[in-house]
Amino acid sequence: MKTTDLAQSEAFAKYMARLKAGKPWSSHQQGILLDSEARILTFLRVYLSFMDDMAARGFDSTRGKDMLGVAVTREGRLLKINRGLHRLAMAQHLGLPSVPVMVKAVHRQWWERVTKGTVGHVAWQRTCGELPTCMPEMGGGPLDPVLHNTKNERI
């Protein structure tokens, strides 16, 4: 994508609106301050280069500081829980069929259903055998305020 295309993008417009409002976007963690049009364009070019690399070589789990972390819900679905939202969004945008993740937690009800009262190595084997069948969570749950009104009815 050329610089002129970037200047027409939705992301560019969002960052420019913040700049014009006197509230430029910043990330203290990354040491980034988008306080000029040139910095915004440079920032967007970096993201494009990440996407180009991902499109050509696939998802590289070493590119970020942390592995994408997931939790297994009580229903056995994977829920993203830690850093890496931009990397995941890029992979989804590119249509990658899968990305490597690290399971950080499992819901007790799922664990009990899968392990069936076993412990130790047997419980671990059963868990490892079931993890590949876990699919990503694609929707909000019963407490999601966007999907439900105060009467807990789906909107």
Side-chain angles (χ1 to χ4, degrees), residues 20-74:
K20 289 176 182 174
K23 298 179 181 180
W25 184 85
S26 66
S27 170
H28 299 291
Q29 182 180 27
Q30 296 175 0
I32 297 171
L33 175 61
L34 302 184
D35 61 351
S36 71
E37 183 175 326
R39 285 185 178 204
I40 292 169
L41 289 170
T42 299
F43 179 75
L44 294 175
R45 276 190 222 101
V46 168
Y47 269 92
L48 277 179
S49 72
F50 287 151
M51 285 186 68
D52 289 344
D53 183 71
M54 192 181 291
R57 295 180 182 84
F59 190 93
D60 181 355
S61 60
T62 65
R63 293 286 308 247
K65 290 181 186 178
D66 307 316
M67 285 284 294
L68 295 178
V70 297
V72 180
T73 67
R74 70 175 52 89

Side-chain angles (χ1 to χ4, degrees), residues 69-81 101-111 113-114 127 130-144 147-148 154:
V70 297
V72 180
T73 67
R74 70 175 52 89
E75 296 84 12
R77 289 191 289 274
L78 300 178
L79 184 65
K80 186 189 166 319
I81 59 169
V101 298
M102 181 179 290
V103 176
K104 302 272 190 170
V106 297
H107 195 282
R108 180 184 303 266
Q109 289 175 4
W110 182 83
W111 171 266
R113 201 167 47 252
V114 167
T127 301
E130 284 297 314
L131 284 173
T133 68
C134 295
M135 299 304 294
E137 179 60 67
M138 300 302 282
L143 301 179
D144 188 333
L147 296 177
H148 300 84
R154 198 159 179 87

